[in-house]
Amino acid sequence: TMEPVWNEKFHVPVCHMSDSFVLKVQDKDHAWAEAIGQVVLTLDQLNKGNIDGWFDILDFNGQPNGELEISVQFQRAQDMHKEYTIDSYFPMRTGCHVDLYSCARNLPHSVQLSDGSEYQPGSCYLDMY
């Protein structure tokens, strides 16, 4: 359809330094996906509060190629409620024994946040980019 409606909701934890949040839009056919363009939200926009509205989808030449209606709520890491539950098919269980091994992408040092404070990712299994 030329006027798709997705009504999707995503929770995207980010623990790495970045100056923007990029939403890439693609047209997925049966055999491949064709890039339509992207919407870029800057860190300054995110820090000002919730973002709601229609945004131009810019193709790779910077030309408008449609619009995307989005609503974004940005929450700083230090303001997040720390919990150890994950959205999964199976329910959480207690009293189990699991050996977890460190991931090479888990940083041994803290990360500097946009406000200058430091954040130490607690687990490579919960912190994703």
Side-chain angles (χ1 to χ4, degrees), residues 8 15 17-18 22 26 29-30 46-47 50 52 56 65 68 81 83 90 96-97 104 113 122 126:
E8 297 286 340
C15 69
M17 290 290 291
S18 181
V22 180
Q26 297 181 332
D29 294 321
H30 294 289
L46 293 169
N47 276 328
N50 295 348
D52 291 296
D56 286 334
N65 194 17
L68 185 64
H81 173 69
E83 61 181 51
F90 297 104
C96 301
H97 175 80
L113 300 176
L126 295 177

Side-chain angles (χ1 to χ4, degrees), residues 101-120:
Y101 298 93
S102 181
C103 174
R105 290 177 281 179
N106 195 15
L107 298 174
H109 54 4
S110 60
V111 177
Q112 186 174 9
L113 300 176
S114 60
D115 65 359
S117 64
E118 298 286 322
Y119 170 69
Q120 175 62 49

Side-chain angles (χ1 to χ4, degrees), residues 18-29:
S18 181
D19 58 358
S20 62
F21 182 71
V22 180
L23 301 162
K24 294 184 179 182
V25 181
Q26 297 181 332
D27 175 19
K28 186 169 192 278
D29 294 321

